[in-house]
Amino acid sequence: MIDVSQATLDVIEAIKKQKVIRFKYGSHDEFRTIEPESFYGDFNGFQGADVSGAGGFRRFSFDRVTEWVGIPIKYKVFVELEVVGYPTDKEVAEELHELLDSSEPIMYTLKPVAD
C-alpha cells in the first residue's frame, strides 16, 4: 500500500507546476508516466494524460497504485575519468568509450538540476 497522503501532495504539486508523476498501477509491471490534471471523487484518485507508451486520458484510483515514485527528480551525471597529461577532446572521448565498453566500475556523481 502506498502513502496516499504523500501521493496526494505529489499530484497537487505536479498539477500546479505542470510536471509528470511516475507509479505502477494494478497488475502492470511497468511504470506509468502521467501528467495529472485533476482529482476525482472525494480525492479517491486522479486523472490525467498518459505521456508514456499507452497515451490517452485516464483515471487512476489511489487504492490500485502498487508502487509510487512521485515527481521524478532531474539529475546531471558527472563521470570521473583519470587521465595523464593534457588530453584532447578526442582522447577524452576515446577514453570514455573504452571505459563504457569495459567491465571496469564507473565512478560518477549525481547532482539535482534546478527547475
Side-chain angles (χ1 to χ4, degrees):
M1 183 77 180
I2 66 164
D3 181 352
V4 177
S5 297
Q6 183 61 53
T8 302
L9 292 173
D10 287 346
V11 171
I12 290 169
E13 182 179 348
I15 292 170
K16 284 173 37 179
K17 296 184 178 180
Q18 296 182 338
K19 294 189 174 204
V20 297
I21 51 174
R22 289 180 46 97
F23 57 93
K24 287 185 181 179
Y25 190 74
S27 61
H28 298 280
D29 266 348
E30 69 276 349
F31 280 99
R32 296 178 184 260
T33 303
I34 304 295
E35 186 174 341
E37 293 184 9
S38 62
F39 290 95
Y40 70 86
D42 190 17
F43 288 88
N44 294 330
F46 58 95
Q47 52 196 9
D50 189 340
V51 295
S52 58
F57 188 84
R58 297 219 24 221
R59 284 184 162 190
F60 299 94
S61 298
F62 284 123
D63 62 352
R64 296 204 50 221
V65 174
T66 57
E67 189 173 332
W68 187 260
V69 173
I71 299 173
I73 299 172
K74 290 183 182 179
Y75 288 95
K76 277 192 177 184
V77 179
F78 296 91
V79 178
E80 296 179 22
L81 182 64
E82 282 190 25
V83 293
V84 177
Y86 300 98
T88 64
D89 290 346
K90 182 180 178 184
E91 291 170 332
V92 170
E94 287 173 356
E95 287 287 329
L96 281 171
H97 285 285
E98 286 178 23
L99 178 62
L100 292 174
D101 291 339
S102 74
S103 60
E104 294 290 321
I106 298 172
M107 297 295 296
Y108 61 91
T109 305
L110 297 176
K111 297 202 178 195
V113 176
D115 289 331

